[in-house]
Amino acid sequence: ERPKNGCPPTFTIQPDRTGEDLQGGMAEDPQIQTHGCIRSKGGDGMNAYMAYKVSTQTSLTMFHSKTFTVRRRFSDFLGLYEKLSEKHLQNGYIVPPPPEKSILGMTKVKVGKEDPSSAEFVERRRAALERYLQRVVSHPSLLQDPDVREFLEKEELPRAVSTQALSGAGFLKMLNKATDAVSKMTIKMNEQDVWFDEKIQDVENEEQHMRKLHVMVESLVNHRKELSGNTAVFAKSVAMLGSSEDNTALSRALSQLAEVEDRIEQLHQEQAANDFFTFSELLADYIRLLGAVKGCFDQRMKAWQRWQDAENMLQKKREVEAKLLWANKPDKLQQAKDEIAEWEAKVTQYEREFERISATVRKEVIRFDKEKARDFKRQIIKYLESLLNSQQQLIKYWEAFLPEAKAIA
Amino acid sequence: CMQLLVHSVSVDLNNDASLVIDIPDALCERDKVKFTVHTKTTLSSFQKPEYSVQRQHEDFIWLHDTIVETEEYAGLIIPPAPPKPDFEGPREKMHKLGEGESSMTKEEYAKMKQELEAEYLAVFKKTVQVHEVFLQRLSSHPMFRKDRNFQIFLEYDQDLTVRRKNAKEMFGGFFKNMVKSADEVLISGVKEVDEFFEQEKNFLLDYSSKIKDATAKAEKMTRSHKNVADDYNHISGALNNIAADNNTAFKKHLEKCAEVFEKLRKVEDRMASDQELKLTELLRYYTRDIQAAKDLLYRRARALADYENSNKALDKARLKGKDVAQAEENQKQCLQKFDKLSESGKKELTSFKARRVVAFRKNLIEMTELEIKHAKNSVSLLQGSIEVLKSN
């Protein structure tokens, strides 16, 4: 997609969109693609914004056509998340968190700074938004939500205003506070709860390990970029040496070597992009997702607490009734009986809700685990294929150079 | 510490069967490296046809210095002294390893130890190669191979420490200081009538700064490459950590991925160190050798200056009518010395050119072949792993 209006150029990293996935199963439907970005009209400085094109391809009849494209701003994505979390979190669904807000990165882009880092930032965000939407629509329950359909189809969306506080990071902060509170509660230990207890522990461990792995992959990305830079510098130096060399054949070989190193530098740069987009971002996504999983365990906790509080309240009301009977105050007795009935109903309702949310959370976690395994497998294979491609190129370059080295006389 | 058996990496310098030298192994004791110097010879000037001695780095330096300080060799390019074995990198790592042992998991510790061993090995290979080449330069040169101290170095079956101390007292290092710093101003200031030396001077001055630069850039590049290999190592460990706590298909994917990274690390590491050994070391060596060539030009320039001074002194003496014979003799000697240096210098610089070209050719070919070999290993490793992952 050609950049317009002084938009920094986008990288050519396009996600793999073949008709069938690796096991010959059905491709994702609907399929989401974000591409292109447009700087707002007359927008310069801090009032400028980026709009991303969101294209959907689907065979589902709930949409009004098979392919359609809309324009959305980053705040629209945040707005979608807000709506979905408001509705579905409390039922124990894992609502995928949106990409992080980044003030620094975005400022550079808005101010029109055309350097590789701002181009990279835009590409990073574009890819993250795409993955975010794809996750939302691959959730069978969320796909049914009219807000999702509206987001994908509707020409103009009302601007989401209250997304200031609720970015991905803000949400996670809120979650962490909730988790702390929850861990202080005592839990009734029955068979079902043991499953949940072990599961939440697994999730916590996995999140820790994944954070560590992510740090290491980020280190790899940086070192690979450094290697690329140093290779380029070395290539120039070898070229200079070659031009200074007075033996003709050796001089030629050295300038060929400089060319090879230049091509290798390119390889390293491409590999660094792969390190980042295929591996590092996968981990970043899953660290956020594991946070969301913890969130739905919290919701179950809240539901349990509500039920327990209702039980306690019912108990209190029964005590009040007993006291009134003993004190023989018939006029207040009816009120007490009414309140008991009210709280008995609440207890039943909350117990049922707790069981429902437990079942949902359980189902969600199982679905999440499956998707995670599938996601990682696909990305690992893609990543290894990128490494493979890089090595095969390397062989080509060195094999082309070998006769040049042998020709030195 | 470590014992290393290294295959000789000569620069086509061992093709004269009458005197063949190599360093088949080296031992690292604490901070001292002991090289085994192995000689095979058909020359009658040596006591035995084959023998091995143990030598330390300081012994090589002693040998180099005595050669530098020998007046007779002023017209020759003196093979550059091998640099001191530098174990600073691995030593730092070992320190880190010792400090962090308690806070590391068993796997992390094992991985760091692996990295450490790889680094030690790399430094070892480099230092053995450079010490060996030094001796081979001497043995393949018609004049140096006859040097008495060289023979002692090769043959003397005792420790050389005592001899070294005596040598220091004798020479006092006066000549060494003069020669060590090739005065570029003096060289470029000389009025050169000889076309050959004029060209050589310009070439050496230009090439010298370029090769120094290329060496520094190559070092940085190799460093980055090693960092990438280290990252693969850590990533492998981290993947295994996640896999350990898992029980599903996820676990298998992660373990496979960890295994790939582990193996890739080894290949990348070898790629980086072979590139260093063949390319960076080549550049490092020739930076030093170019310096030795410049030193020769300096000595010749000095001899020319001396000759010009002696001419002026002779004129003065003739004017005054005093000490004329002495001045004539002095002038004659200065001219002789200058002519000898020019004649021998020309030969040396010509063979230096040829030697440089041969060395570059050999090392560039070897490096390229190794890089191809390692890349092919990576390819089959990756292809195999992708197969396995897809079929699961």
Side-chain angles (χ1 to χ4, degrees):
Chain A
E1 182 79 21
R2 208 130 281 276
K4 299 181 181 121
N5 301 339
C7 197
T10 53
F11 281 15
T12 52
I13 301 287
Q14 288 295 329
D16 222 350
R17 289 292 176 230
T18 50
E20 289 189 342
D21 73 25
L22 297 158
Q23 283 149 324
M26 287 303 291
E28 292 148 330
D29 185 359
Q31 228 178 67
I32 311 286
Q33 209 179 23
T34 56
H35 54 101
C37 70
I38 311 104
R39 193 180 282 277
S40 58
K41 291 220 172 62
D44 268 321
M46 293 312 293
N47 292 320
Y49 66 84
M50 291 296 169
Y52 300 88
K53 279 189 180 168
V54 179
S55 302
T56 309
Q57 231 180 311
T58 181
S59 62
L60 298 176
T61 51
M62 66 193 244
F63 293 99
H64 62 50
S65 62
K66 289 217 164 91
T67 56
F68 41 91
T69 303
V70 293
R71 283 186 197 179
R72 296 287 180 253
R73 300 172 55 165
F74 183 67
S75 53
D76 295 329
F77 289 80
L78 296 184
L80 174 65
Y81 172 75
E82 225 183 77
K83 290 193 191 118
L84 292 177
S85 57
E86 246 170 39
K87 282 188 261 178
H88 301 285
L89 259 188
Q90 67 211 26
N91 295 322
Y93 287 103
I94 301 172
V95 181
E100 314 255 318
K101 254 188 188 175
S102 166
I103 301 170
L104 183 63
M106 208 48 204
T107 309
K108 272 201 206 161
V109 175
K110 285 185 178 180
V111 168
K113 194 163 186 264
E114 292 218 21
D115 67 43
S117 69
S118 53
E120 213 178 283
F121 175 82
V122 171
E123 175 54 26
R124 180 178 182 173
R125 176 163 279 189
R126 182 208 65 75
L129 291 173
E130 187 176 290
R131 292 193 307 269
Y132 165 65
L133 279 182
Q134 194 63 61
R135 282 208 178 88
V136 168
V137 302
S138 53
H139 192 303
S141 309
L142 294 180
L143 179 60
Q144 301 302 322
D145 189 313
D147 279 327
V148 171
R149 212 178 318 145
E150 190 182 77
F151 185 90
L152 294 175
E153 279 187 325
K154 200 161 179 200
E155 199 56 42
E156 289 277 338
L157 273 189
R159 249 215 85 187
V161 211
S162 55
T163 59
Q164 305 308 321
L166 211 66
S167 69
F171 175 72
L172 278 182
K173 274 208 200 100
M174 208 176 74
L175 265 190
N176 286 332
K177 284 208 206 109
T179 318
D180 290 336
V182 159
S183 59
K184 292 191 188 109
M185 290 185 215
T186 52
I187 315 165
K188 187 177 78 180
M189 282 301 210
N190 65 24
E191 197 183 283
Q192 199 189 38
D193 289 322
V194 165
W195 185 90
F196 285 96
D197 263 353
E198 286 177 358
K199 225 20 179 181
I200 189 71
Q201 197 55 50
D202 286 348
V203 169
E204 300 245 325
N205 289 341
E206 195 164 89
E207 194 200 357
Q208 295 283 48
H209 289 319
M210 227 174 256
R211 279 183 193 275
K212 284 197 188 132
L213 178 59
H214 186 232
V215 167
M216 284 158 194
V217 176
E218 285 190 315
S219 170
L220 174 63
V221 173
N222 288 331
H223 283 146
R224 190 107 58 190
K225 283 187 182 159
E226 244 175 54
L227 176 58
S228 172
N230 288 340
T231 306
V233 167
F234 175 66
K236 286 201 184 76
S237 188
V238 169
M240 292 289 281
L241 185 65
S243 66
S244 182
E245 174 61 58
D246 60 358
N247 175 295
T248 329
L250 179 53
S251 169
R252 189 187 142 81
L254 286 174
S255 57
Q256 297 286 38
L257 178 63
E259 272 185 44
V260 171
E261 294 290 350
D262 250 336
R263 283 188 212 123
I264 293 176
E265 178 242 331
Q266 193 57 33
L267 276 185
H268 288 316
Q269 229 183 37
E270 282 164 16
Q271 190 52 54
N274 269 306
D275 292 337
F276 181 75
F277 284 103
T278 311
F279 201 2
S280 180
E281 287 285 76
L282 171 73
L283 296 170
D285 282 355
Y286 269 90
I287 290 167
R288 275 199 302 272
L289 279 166
L290 287 170
V293 172
K294 286 201 292 194
C296 73
F297 276 82
D298 288 347
Q299 295 298 321
R300 175 178 173 265
M301 242 331 120
K302 284 202 184 111
W304 183 82
Q305 196 60 49
R306 216 177 303 133
W307 172 28
Q308 294 306 303
D309 291 346
E311 289 269 19
N312 290 339
M313 192 55 88
L314 177 60
Q315 187 58 31
K316 283 205 185 95
K317 298 298 179 191
R318 288 205 171 119
E319 284 166 11
V320 164
E321 186 199 34
K323 278 202 190 114
L324 289 174
L325 278 170
W326 190 84
N328 198 14
K329 294 214 175 113
D331 42 325
K332 289 213 177 128
L333 206 57
Q334 189 50 48
Q335 185 191 353
K337 282 205 199 298
D338 287 340
E339 284 183 0
I340 287 173
E342 179 195 343
W343 282 99
E344 273 175 346
K346 280 200 179 145
V347 164
T348 311
Q349 180 197 349
Y350 292 159
E351 182 175 1
R352 223 175 278 148
E353 275 174 11
F354 174 70
E355 271 156 20
R356 195 167 42 89
I357 197 178
S358 295
T360 305
V361 169
R362 196 165 181 147
K363 216 172 67 179
E364 282 284 271
V365 168
I366 291 168
R367 189 189 64 87
F368 173 76
D369 275 343
K370 264 204 205 110
E371 214 176 79
K372 181 179 70 183
R374 213 190 56 201
D375 242 350
F376 267 78
K377 175 171 166 171
R378 186 183 57 211
Q379 291 298 98
I380 287 171
I381 289 173
K382 187 172 171 199
Y383 182 67
L384 294 182
E385 283 177 341
S386 79
L387 287 175
L388 174 62
N389 184 47
S390 184
Q391 294 295 312
Q392 284 168 329
Q393 282 298 101
L394 207 61
I395 292 172
K396 280 206 191 100
Y397 296 154
W398 285 120
E399 281 182 340
F401 176 70
L402 192 56
E404 300 287 340
K406 288 186 170 163
I408 300 171
Chain B
C1 231
M2 280 176 84
Q3 177 141 34
L4 175 79
L5 256 81
V6 161
H7 185 65
S8 165
V9 188
S10 76
V11 195
D12 272 319
L13 293 176
N14 243 4
N15 44 18
D16 184 350
S18 63
L19 183 59
V20 177
I21 305 177
D22 69 313
I23 299 183
D25 69 81
L27 191 63
C28 177
E29 252 167 38
R30 288 164 191 257
D31 275 359
K32 287 247 170 277
V33 182
K34 286 208 167 84
F35 301 94
T36 301
V37 179
H38 171 247
T39 310
K40 256 168 121 162
T41 178
T42 59
L43 298 174
S44 52
S45 50
F46 288 86
Q47 288 179 6
K48 286 186 284 184
E50 183 169 5
Y51 41 85
S52 287
V53 294
Q54 296 275 315
R55 293 289 177 249
Q56 292 179 23
H57 171 73
E58 288 73 22
D59 301 328
F60 288 76
I61 299 302
W62 163 80
L63 179 58
H64 174 261
D65 288 352
T66 61
I67 288 172
V68 163
E69 283 154 21
T70 306
E71 178 73 36
E72 228 184 299
Y73 302 143
L76 307 176
I77 297 178
I78 317 276
K84 197 162 182 225
D86 180 14
F87 286 98
E88 192 52 49
R91 207 176 292 143
E92 225 184 274
K93 256 206 165 91
M94 183 149 96
H95 191 66
K96 267 196 208 147
L97 193 66
E99 279 194 338
E101 186 174 354
S102 48
S103 60
M104 284 187 217
T105 67
K106 211 167 67 173
E107 292 81 24
E108 282 171 351
Y109 185 79
K111 279 210 188 293
M112 260 213 105
K113 210 163 149 242
Q114 263 180 337
E115 276 175 31
L116 183 63
E117 279 166 11
E119 264 201 56
Y120 255 110
L121 192 67
V123 173
F124 238 63
K125 272 189 179 165
K126 271 191 290 179
T127 198
V128 166
Q129 176 173 275
V130 84
H131 282 78
E132 191 180 72
V133 166
F134 172 69
L135 295 177
Q136 288 169 344
R137 279 283 299 277
L138 295 174
S139 69
S140 60
H141 192 285
M143 289 202 69
F144 292 134
R145 70 185 353 217
K146 294 195 224 133
D147 184 89
R148 180 82 192 113
N149 286 314
F150 184 43
Q151 191 168 346
I152 291 170
F153 178 95
L154 294 174
E155 268 191 324
Y156 190 63
D157 58 4
Q158 306 286 325
D159 206 315
L160 280 179
T161 328
V162 174
R163 278 207 169 246
R164 282 198 269 127
K165 283 216 194 95
N166 292 343
K168 264 210 176 96
E169 282 157 19
M170 273 179 71
F171 288 110
F174 131 86
F175 213 64
K176 197 173 21 164
N177 290 334
M178 278 186 72
V179 179
K180 270 287 182 232
S181 50
D183 190 351
E184 300 219 353
V185 176
L186 182 66
I187 294 176
S188 37
V190 157
K191 272 253 183 303
E192 198 51 77
V193 277
D194 189 329
E195 182 64 33
F196 173 83
F197 281 102
E198 177 66 21
Q199 270 187 349
E200 275 310 299
K201 176 186 78 181
N202 292 330
F203 167 72
L204 285 177
L205 288 178
D206 181 37
Y207 198 78
S208 156
S209 63
K210 301 244 167 72
I211 197 169
K212 215 168 165 189
D213 185 62
T215 307
K217 307 281 160 71
E219 281 171 353
K220 271 188 106 170
M221 184 175 71
T222 306
R223 182 86 288 228
S224 298
H225 209 155
K226 291 199 171 150
N227 285 340
V228 168
D230 279 351
D231 285 333
Y232 281 179
N233 202 14
H234 300 147
I235 288 171
S236 173
L239 282 166
N240 273 326
N241 282 342
I242 304 180
D245 284 345
N246 249 278
N247 276 317
T248 56
F250 190 45
K251 180 191 178 90
K252 273 200 283 222
H253 303 331
L254 292 176
E255 281 177 343
K256 191 69 198 164
C257 196
E259 187 190 312
V260 174
F261 270 101
E262 164 89 38
K263 296 201 176 125
L264 277 179
R265 174 204 85 95
K266 291 202 179 100
V267 179
E268 284 298 320
D269 199 60
R270 230 157 269 158
M271 264 184 171
S273 48
D274 279 342
Q275 189 178 62
E276 176 169 39
L277 209 60
K278 298 289 166 190
L279 187 56
T280 314
E281 277 296 294
L282 173 74
L283 293 171
R284 273 195 200 116
Y285 185 78
Y286 276 94
T287 306
R288 287 195 294 269
D289 220 7
I290 294 274
Q291 187 60 45
K294 276 161 74 180
D295 288 345
L296 169 57
L297 281 189
Y298 174 81
R299 290 194 289 274
R300 180 179 167 274
R302 189 118 212 95
L304 180 59
D306 287 345
Y307 171 61
E308 283 169 358
N309 287 340
S310 75
N311 265 334
K312 290 193 193 124
L314 180 57
D315 287 343
K316 243 196 201 161
R318 280 190 177 138
L319 266 167
K320 285 196 183 151
K322 235 171 86 175
D323 297 322
V324 173
Q326 196 182 357
E328 276 179 348
E329 184 56 35
N330 187 31
Q331 189 237 38
K332 197 169 112 196
Q333 284 197 355
C334 282
L335 181 60
Q336 262 179 4
K337 180 171 175 197
F338 174 67
D339 282 341
K340 178 165 165 245
L341 286 190
S342 296
E343 188 191 325
S344 132
K346 210 173 209 157
K347 265 194 252 153
E348 285 282 294
L349 288 168
T350 309
S351 68
F352 169 65
K353 231 182 254 304
R355 195 174 62 234
R356 187 179 80 247
V357 173
V358 166
F360 268 76
R361 179 178 189 278
K362 179 179 195 279
N363 280 287
L364 286 177
I365 292 173
E366 284 177 359
M367 177 192 74
T368 307
E369 288 175 341
L370 282 167
E371 297 296 282
I372 292 171
K373 179 177 122 180
H374 293 320
K376 284 188 172 160
N377 279 343
S378 288
V379 164
S380 62
L381 162 68
L382 286 164
Q383 276 172 337
S385 305
I386 292 170
E387 274 298 313
V388 169
L389 277 168
K390 279 185 173 171
S391 67
N392 260 344

